[in-house]
Amino acid sequence: MIRRSLFAAFLLATSVPALAQPAPVAPEHEWPFEKSDLPADPAYRFGRLDNGMRYIIRSNGTPAGQAMVQFWINSGSVAETEQERGYAHFIEHMSFNGSTRIPEGEMVKLLEREGLAFGPDTNASTSFDTTLYMLNLPRNDPALLDTALMLMRETASELTFNPEAVEREKGVVLSERRVRDTYDYRDTIDGLEFFYPGARFVDRMPIGTFETLQAATPEKLRELYQRIYRPENTAIIVVGDFDADKVEAEIREHFASWQPASIIPETDPGPIPFDLAGQTDIYLDPALSEQITISRHGPAPDRTDTRAFREKNVRRQLGYGIINRRLQRLARAENPPFRSAGVGTAEMFDAGRTSNLVIYAGEGEWRGALAAAQAEYRRALEFGFTEAEVAEQIANLRTSLENNVAGASTRSNANFITGAITLLEDNQIPTTPDSALERFLGHLPEITPDSVLAALKEEFVPLDNPLIRFEGRTAPEGGAEALRAAWNEGMAVQLAAEDSVGLEAWGYTDFGTPGTVVSDTAEPLLGIRTLVFSNGLRLNLKKTELQRDRISVQLNVDGGQMLNTREDPIATAMSSSLPIGGLGKHSTDELQSILAGRSVSFNLGTTDDTFVLNAGTTPRDLEVQLQVLAAAISDPGYRPQGESQYRRNIKAFFASRNATPESALANALGEIVSDGDPRFTLQPQDAYLGLSFARLRDEIADRLNHGALELAVVGDFDEGQTIDMVSRTLGALPQREADFRAYTDNRTRMFTTDRAPRVVRHEGAADQAIVRMSWPTRDDSDFAEVLKLDLLDRVMRIELTDKLREELGKTYSPGVSASESDTYTGYGTFNIAASVDVKEVDATRAAILETVRSLIDQPVDDDALLRARQPLLEAYDNALKTNAGWMNLAYRAQSKAERIERFTTGKDRLAALTPADVQEMAAKYLQPDKRLEIIVLPKEGS
């Protein structure tokens, strides 16, 4: 799997072996901190075995009793020859398909028996310059750590590349290559070829080509494997709730026997054409939105990680932040010139750098969009920045650093993994939050508008006679000449300096008489404190020490998609755009400046029956966050800026709605399954474009003003102070309805009785298809059946993966989902889907039905049940080790209290289920003749 996006991968440093005669001596890798004045975090343990392999260990107890193990290879697709394209990724796949000690197909099964789900806990990725294997250990069992390291050791040098296994996995890799062949991927390839002609990495996409993948053999894969999987080219990382001494001993025991190999010099992923200028490219596809990219290349900067480098980098990033803040302000104008725009400089491995101005325009609006963004870029570099702009960026950065210090003792395993990977890939030294804040405060007097501009200019490659690339659905009138002329005209425009804008004070500190608590009890099973205020607000509190200085907040407001009716099916469609309109007293842009340096957020989502506002904050900013929530529902802005953004996004969505098999299916599915119920059917584009904030206000204002409220606060807070804060904000609002409405008439949702096969057409590649089967099941009112269906889901996923991927090699990742509604009475679905080659549709259908029938006809074997159930049991054990896990129970602890009882009994009930229970559910709900089958095929004639 390719974990990083293609353009994000450009930001990575690279150190990739080339194809050269091997040198006779193993290298002595130097850690970056050995030649830097930056102190590495002493809690990390860095080491090197005699064979050259490095290791990084970090003991950490958040989440408690868990760990992460990763094996990093300092090579990816750039190391491949022309004939090996895609083989680094293919090797990654083969790591799960047989080694000296692990028979083919047994690695995943072994891990599933230990509670690691394939995908979330057992994964790997290949990029241009690295390959990474990842295991998330659900418990700190020494035997499990031993197993994890043993598997990584097998991956290091013991893969067997069995010919039959290679042929089967070839189908899986080709399936992944086929799925990734989208309009977006083709656009990416064209862009790379335009901006970096002749660069090696452009012709080394990690997914490879159909031709080279088809030609893969065990011998060819093994040749690359032995060339790049070498001790001195790798590192093992272990972060988690283990003793570092024991981990180090385990690493030495497993990896010391790995024999060193000859050195292969690094490969140049370039060359990067520094002098390339004045060229223009137009790339068209019916699914693309309008985008203009202006670029120039320059040499790679010195990125040696020192205190001086970091200080300069801080100033540089502040500069980019200011320019992008200006562009964001333009995008939020009442009549914005573009959807969005941004400037930045990307490192192209160690070979060079590229500075970009990227503009996302509305359809046919490229000229005005380019002029506005170009002027802002020029204005910044010509006139510099204001004191107020620098102060806003400093406030945000300072708060981030202070928050890091306050939460340092409960940083997650993932945080430390990121630090280790960044050290290996970018030579960036992981330092402590305290030292980072200390350095920033010491550097603060040197951060001025002039020094920020100077640092930015030192890195940013001037966009003189730049490369210009246009992508979209329709070519710009006048073609490439018009694009170039528009840029040249913009460079000649006389500009004025940015005006400094004064800000009003924060306008939402008084919501009336504070509310009083009329009920205060503790939920008996998990101790969640539940309160009710005199205005009807429900408050659920769970104080934890799982993340120091971090608080999660969620507010649910009655309504949501229950306001969508057959007569008005898209009543709430604009809801998520409401925050773009800001608040009544402040626009979104003003909010961003007024609240600079505060850990607060404002967003609005919809669930089946509520509007939801989520936020993450700190004890210092909790009251301001509560003020934002109270203002959001009592005085939303409804400004036209949100409407403009919404309409542009709608046009972009409809342009690509059928561009891939997945999008075509997703957009057709609701109508098919519901027999055209308009609430679940994609409406015509004009219907969405006809919406307005005035209409949205009519639809949702009553719920925002009067609907039942339930607020959950989870994390590191003082309960008494929090209750007082809530009483002054949400608790002070006018009287609310006491209960969430029943919406009885709107809680019906039908599954079509017409089970005739359906065909959906997509506009993507001609070899892409999807086979999908769905069955109606039930709602979630019977928890016993919910658990059985969840287990059937996992069993089916394992059985289909074994059948379609491992045995037949027909699909990259078959999907299975069981969903039992807690909103629509009697409604639930069980779904199976597989993305396959058009030629494999019939065989895939037959394989799916064979698997379904086998689960109906006979109980699943004990091993498959164990592999399916164990990750679910581990999930129960670890659910309350994070604030997010507690929030899943606290957010509706009063209005949906039964969820807590279900959680407390769920593990034991799940553990008691048998193969017969799984068979019962399959027989009850998955009869083949009751299925709804949908085949997604290419548009006729494509």
Side-chain angles (χ1 to χ4, degrees):
M1 286 148 277
I2 302 175
R3 177 171 54 91
R4 303 181 183 88
S5 70
L6 299 174
F7 285 122
F10 298 163
L11 299 175
L12 304 177
T14 183
S15 177
V16 184
L19 310 179
Q21 291 298 317
V25 183
E28 280 292 310
H29 274 299
E30 186 176 40
W31 293 102
F33 48 78
E34 294 174 341
K35 56 180 180 180
S36 173
D37 57 357
L38 290 170
D41 181 348
Y44 279 97
R45 180 174 298 190
F46 306 100
R48 183 187 300 107
L49 300 181
D50 291 342
N51 59 17
M53 190 192 84
R54 290 181 285 175
Y55 57 85
I56 303 175
I57 304 167
R58 216 297 185 171
S59 294
N60 184 54
T62 305
Q66 298 177 51
M68 303 176 78
V69 179
Q70 300 197 353
F71 181 51
W72 175 83
I73 294 92
N74 192 28
S75 294
S77 59
V78 170
E80 300 163 349
T81 66
E82 282 283 322
Q83 293 73 35
E84 293 173 334
R85 286 176 292 174
Y87 287 10
H89 173 242
F90 203 140
I91 292 168
E92 171 215 308
H93 276 244
M94 292 308 299
S95 68
F96 298 94
N97 283 279
S99 62
T100 301
R101 296 177 60 184
I102 308 297
E104 180 194 351
E106 286 300 313
M107 178 185 285
V108 171
K109 293 178 182 179
L110 186 157
L111 291 168
E112 287 171 336
R113 295 179 193 117
E114 296 286 354
L116 282 74
F118 184 56
D121 302 317
T122 306
N123 215 326
S125 66
T126 304
S127 68
F128 287 112
D129 54 349
T130 62
T131 307
L132 189 66
Y133 296 90
M134 300 162 277
L135 296 176
N136 297 334
L137 307 188
R139 60 189 185 280
N140 57 343
D141 176 359
L144 181 56
L145 174 63
D146 181 74
T147 296
L149 292 174
M150 179 272 291
L151 294 176
M152 295 302 193
R153 176 65 182 88
E154 291 289 290
T155 299
S157 68
E158 301 303 310
L159 301 187
T160 52
F161 299 100
N162 176 275
E164 290 78 14
V166 169
E167 284 305 307
R168 280 190 292 272
E169 197 64 25
K170 185 180 295 184
V172 176
V173 176
L174 287 167
S175 172
E176 185 176 352
R177 174 65 178 83
R178 184 176 57 251
V179 168
R180 295 185 185 280
D181 184 15
T182 66
Y183 70 94
D184 192 46
Y185 179 82
R186 293 187 292 273
D187 175 41
T188 296
I189 297 297
D190 181 84
L192 294 178
E193 291 173 346
F194 170 67
F195 287 118
Y196 306 101
R200 181 186 180 92
F201 80 91
V202 173
D203 199 32
R204 296 295 188 280
M205 301 304 289
I207 198 62
T209 71
F210 286 109
E211 294 74 20
T212 53
L213 294 173
Q214 287 281 14
T217 65
E219 293 73 25
K220 292 177 181 178
L221 293 172
R222 188 177 292 108
E223 181 180 347
L224 178 63
Y225 175 61
Q226 293 174 345
R227 209 165 65 232
I228 65 178
Y229 285 59
R230 311 185 315 274
E232 98 304 328
N233 199 43
T234 65
I236 192 79
I237 308 164
V238 180
V239 175
D241 209 353
F242 285 108
D243 177 83
D245 289 338
K246 294 180 179 179
V247 173
E248 183 174 12
E250 286 277 335
I251 289 173
R252 291 185 179 278
E253 179 180 341
H254 282 284
F255 288 91
S257 62
W258 190 9
Q259 294 301 306
S262 299
I263 305 169
I264 299 177
E266 296 180 354
T267 296
D268 180 1
I272 305 301
F274 304 142
D275 297 330
L276 187 65
Q279 297 189 17
T280 308
D281 181 46
I282 296 175
Y283 181 82
L284 302 179
D285 189 285
L288 288 174
S289 300
E290 240 171 55
Q291 176 181 326
I292 309 105
T293 303
I294 316 295
S295 299
R296 281 301 304 265
H297 309 312
D302 179 6
R303 308 292 290 183
T304 304
D305 196 15
T306 63
R307 184 177 185 124
F309 167 78
R310 290 206 181 181
E311 290 176 349
K312 184 175 292 185
N313 197 49
V314 163
R315 300 195 299 271
R316 188 159 44 230
Q317 296 309 315
L318 293 176
Y320 287 123
I322 293 170
I323 301 176
N324 288 323
R325 180 77 174 85
R326 292 182 183 182
L327 294 169
Q328 186 181 61
R329 185 176 295 122
L330 286 174
R332 291 170 173 168
E334 186 168 339
N335 294 300
F338 41 69
R339 294 169 60 204
S340 64
V343 298
T345 297
E347 291 180 42
M348 305 309 300
F349 311 93
D350 285 336
R353 70 188 195 274
T354 300
S355 292
N356 302 293
L357 169 62
V358 183
I359 308 141
Y360 300 90
E363 182 68 16
E365 299 176 354
W366 69 269
R367 190 179 294 274
L370 176 61
Q374 179 185 21
E376 212 54 65
Y377 147 75
R378 288 185 55 218
R379 182 177 289 111
L381 269 64
E382 184 174 343
F383 297 105
F385 311 123
T386 68
E387 294 280 359
E389 288 177 314
V390 173
E392 179 178 325
Q393 297 296 319
I394 287 176
N396 290 328
L397 177 56
R398 181 170 188 160
T399 296
S400 176
L401 294 170
E402 290 173 344
N403 289 349
N404 288 343
V405 170
S409 62
T410 53
R411 284 171 288 170
S412 69
N413 291 337
N415 178 283
F416 294 113
I417 285 286
T418 297
I421 293 293
T422 305
L423 172 70
L424 292 167
E425 296 185 356
D426 298 341
N427 293 319
Q428 181 175 312
I429 300 162
T431 61
T432 65
D434 288 286
S435 69
L437 179 60
E438 180 185 0
R439 287 191 300 274
F440 171 75
L441 294 176
H443 176 49
L444 198 54
E446 301 175 40
I447 303 176
T448 66
D450 287 343
S451 70
V452 167
L453 180 62
L456 176 70
K457 284 185 172 181
E458 184 176 328
E459 177 181 77
F460 196 86
V461 183
L463 301 179
D464 299 332
N465 193 25
L467 304 171
I468 301 176
R469 184 173 187 269
F470 175 96
E471 63 186 67
R473 294 186 284 279
T474 307
E477 185 176 353
E481 293 78 8
L483 286 166
R484 181 65 54 178
W487 175 263
N488 292 337
E489 290 166 9
M491 293 301 291
V493 172
Q494 295 295 313
L495 301 174
E498 176 84 358
D499 292 330
S500 183
V501 180
L503 292 175
E504 300 177 4
W506 173 232
Y508 294 96
T509 57
D510 186 359
F511 294 90
T513 304
T516 57
V517 175
V518 298
S519 173
D520 185 352
T521 61
E523 175 278 318
L525 296 175
L526 295 175
I528 297 172
R529 188 174 177 183
T530 56
L531 304 92
V532 179
F533 284 81
S534 53
N535 70 345
L537 168 70
R538 295 167 174 174
L539 172 63
N540 308 323
L541 299 176
K542 183 58 188 179
K543 180 177 173 60
T544 77
E545 295 184 354
L546 299 170
Q547 290 180 275
R548 293 291 173 85
D549 198 57
R550 299 294 184 269
I551 301 173
S552 297
V553 180
Q554 184 177 132
L555 177 65
N556 277 271
V557 186
D558 180 66
Q561 294 172 26
M562 283 290 106
L563 302 185
N564 298 333
T565 65
R566 290 177 179 272
E567 296 72 31
D568 189 3
I570 56 174
T572 65
M574 289 188 74
S575 298
S576 62
S577 297
L578 192 56
I580 303 174
L583 301 172
K585 296 179 181 179
H586 307 298
S587 69
T588 299
D589 194 71
E590 291 167 343
L591 284 174
Q592 190 166 336
S593 293
I594 292 170
L595 298 176
R598 299 282 196 172
S599 300
V600 299
S601 58
F602 173 21
N603 57 73
L604 181 68
T606 58
T607 69
D608 286 344
D609 57 0
T610 65
F611 296 103
V612 182
L613 296 93
N614 289 294
T617 187
T618 68
R620 295 172 297 287
D621 292 325
L622 177 57
E623 184 161 20
V624 177
Q625 180 63 72
L626 292 171
Q627 291 169 349
V628 170
L629 295 181
I633 63 172
S634 64
D635 190 28
Y638 295 107
R639 284 182 177 79
Q641 290 93 325
E643 293 182 343
S644 299
Q645 289 281 17
Y646 169 81
R647 292 193 177 99
R648 282 181 165 88
N649 292 339
I650 287 295
K651 291 178 180 178
F653 165 80
F654 272 89
S656 61
R657 71 187 185 278
N658 295 322
T660 67
E662 292 76 15
S663 61
L665 176 61
N667 292 318
L669 191 60
E671 181 177 11
I672 293 172
V673 173
S674 69
D675 279 338
D677 186 329
R679 294 173 298 165
F680 312 111
T681 299
L682 183 67
Q683 300 299 303
Q685 177 176 321
D686 288 345
Y688 295 97
L689 294 177
L691 297 176
S692 66
F693 272 170
R695 179 177 167 186
L696 181 65
R697 186 200 306 259
D698 291 341
E699 299 288 353
I700 72 173
D702 176 72
R703 294 296 80 208
L704 295 185
N705 290 327
H706 304 112
L709 298 179
E710 189 161 3
L711 174 69
V713 182
V714 173
D716 184 9
F717 58 86
D718 180 278
E719 291 190 9
Q721 292 176 0
T722 299
I723 293 168
D724 289 343
M725 293 174 189
V726 173
S727 74
R728 295 192 297 269
T729 52
L730 291 161
L733 295 177
Q735 190 67 39
R736 314 293 299 199
E737 293 173 1
D739 296 309
F740 290 83
R741 289 184 175 180
Y743 298 100
T744 305
D745 294 341
N746 211 22
R747 288 189 184 271
T748 58
R749 183 171 185 175
M750 303 302 297
F751 191 101
T752 180
T753 57
D754 179 5
R755 306 298 164 78
R758 317 294 175 88
V759 174
V760 170
R761 298 288 178 176
H762 70 83
E763 298 169 357
D767 59 352
Q768 295 177 343
I770 296 176
V771 178
R772 178 187 171 98
M773 297 180 188
S774 297
W775 290 262
T777 55
R778 57 161 302 119
D779 60 26
D780 80 335
S781 58
D782 184 338
F783 187 49
E785 284 212 350
V786 168
L787 286 173
K788 292 176 184 178
L789 283 166
D790 286 349
L791 189 54
L792 174 61
D793 173 328
R794 294 300 184 113
V795 168
M796 183 70 75
R797 197 175 307 176
I798 284 173
E799 295 291 307
L800 281 174
T801 299
D802 288 348
K803 184 75 173 178
L804 292 175
R805 177 172 174 146
E806 303 303 330
E807 181 181 337
L808 301 178
K810 292 189 180 300
T811 186
Y812 164 55
S813 182
V816 181
S817 65
S819 175
E820 304 80 42
S821 177
D822 65 352
T823 302
Y824 299 102
T825 304
Y827 185 80
T829 61
F830 195 98
N831 309 295
I832 299 171
S835 298
V836 297
D837 191 295
V838 168
K839 299 189 298 294
E840 300 290 350
V841 165
D842 290 340
T844 302
R845 177 197 292 113
I848 292 173
L849 289 175
E850 179 185 341
T851 304
V852 170
R853 290 190 182 100
S854 70
L855 291 176
I856 293 173
D857 292 342
Q858 59 189 13
V860 65
D861 66 66
D862 289 339
D863 185 63
L865 188 69
L866 172 65
R867 292 163 51 206
R869 178 163 48 198
Q870 197 59 35
L872 292 174
L873 296 176
E874 295 286 357
Y876 269 101
D877 286 339
N878 291 320
L880 300 186
K881 293 179 179 179
T882 64
N883 284 344
W886 276 106
M887 182 60 78
N888 285 336
L889 296 173
Y891 81 105
R892 298 287 295 272
Q894 296 187 57
S895 57
K896 294 187 176 182
E898 72 281 356
R899 298 177 70 254
I900 295 173
E901 189 274 336
R902 289 185 173 193
F903 173 79
T904 59
T905 64
K907 180 183 177 183
D908 290 340
R909 297 173 73 173
L910 179 65
L913 296 181
T914 66
D917 292 315
V918 175
Q919 184 182 18
E920 175 197 356
M921 290 297 97
K924 183 174 182 179
Y925 291 114
L926 304 187
Q927 291 297 328
D929 61 347
K930 301 294 185 182
R931 76 186 186 277
L932 170 64
E933 183 175 301
I934 303 172
I935 307 298
V936 186
L937 296 172
K939 183 174 61 177
E940 293 177 295
S942 64

